[in-house]
Amino acid sequence: MIRTEKRMRLCGALLVANLIVIWGNSLLPGDVSGAISDAVKAILMPIVELFFPGSGSAEGGGGLLRKLAHFTEFACLGICLTWLLAMLQRHKALPLLFGFLTACVDETIQSFVPGRNPSPVDVAIDTSGVITGMILLLTGYHIYKKRKTNHKLEENEL
């Protein structure tokens, strides 16, 4: 991936913001985190109900919402890490390693927060999110490069 100062700064800022969101959420006490999950669930349930009628009447769902939030936060982290390390031309496995270590730190933080507990399952979900983010970015980049190459070939044929 092409490395410019502007791209490096943007990617670094997105990476730091992503880490602040991840670790900031882990620092929230269990009752506060639960209240946020409940508020988000209240907003999302009418949307879910449109696509899956009858699902909004079920109790619970907060646990699933939290797991999806973990996965999404770490998918964004996977994108940022892959982009940054690709611009720095580092080994392609490093985003996975850094993502896994970030998940371990995240769960360690939770072990010191009232009402929160670390979970190896969350580390696995987080790492899956990182892998998904890596795949999304690399796939998107390869599609972009292929289209750009095909477009150049078409221009040369004219």
Side-chain angles (χ1 to χ4, degrees):
M1 292 184 194
I2 298 172
R3 175 177 153 178
T4 65
E5 188 64 32
K6 186 176 179 180
R7 289 178 183 168
M8 291 291 292
R9 276 188 266 136
L10 174 62
C11 187
L14 290 172
L15 180 61
V16 169
N18 191 226
L19 289 171
I20 288 170
V21 168
I22 289 171
W23 290 335
N25 285 333
S26 290
L27 288 168
L28 296 174
D31 57 340
V32 174
S33 177
I36 292 170
S37 294
D38 290 343
V40 172
K41 180 182 167 193
I43 293 167
L44 293 179
M45 285 317 288
I47 298 167
V48 171
E49 186 68 29
L50 285 174
F51 296 103
F52 304 102
S55 62
S57 61
E59 290 299 315
L64 177 60
L65 183 64
R66 286 173 183 252
K67 301 306 178 198
L68 286 172
H70 268 266
F71 183 84
T72 304
E73 290 171 342
F74 278 84
C76 292
L77 181 68
I79 290 169
C80 290
L81 286 170
T82 303
W83 184 24
L84 179 65
L85 293 168
M87 285 191 291
L88 294 172
Q89 298 180 343
R90 299 295 186 239
H91 194 275
K92 290 183 180 172
L94 282 177
L96 179 57
L97 175 64
F98 290 152
F100 173 75
L101 293 174
T102 302
C104 291
V105 169
D106 183 48
E107 294 304 310
T108 302
I109 289 169
Q110 290 183 31
S111 68
F112 296 103
V113 177
R116 303 293 295 267
N117 296 308
S119 168
V121 171
D122 282 350
V123 173
I125 291 169
D126 298 345
T127 305
S128 308
V130 170
I131 293 167
T132 301
M134 292 172 66
I135 291 169
L136 287 173
L137 181 76
L138 294 173
T139 301
Y141 182 72
H142 287 299
I143 291 170
Y144 166 78
K145 291 290 280 187
K146 186 172 184 168
R147 282 189 173 177
K148 189 174 177 181
T149 302
N150 288 343
H151 183 67
K152 283 184 180 180
L153 289 174
E154 289 172 5
E155 284 179 358
N156 290 338
E157 289 175 1
L158 297 175

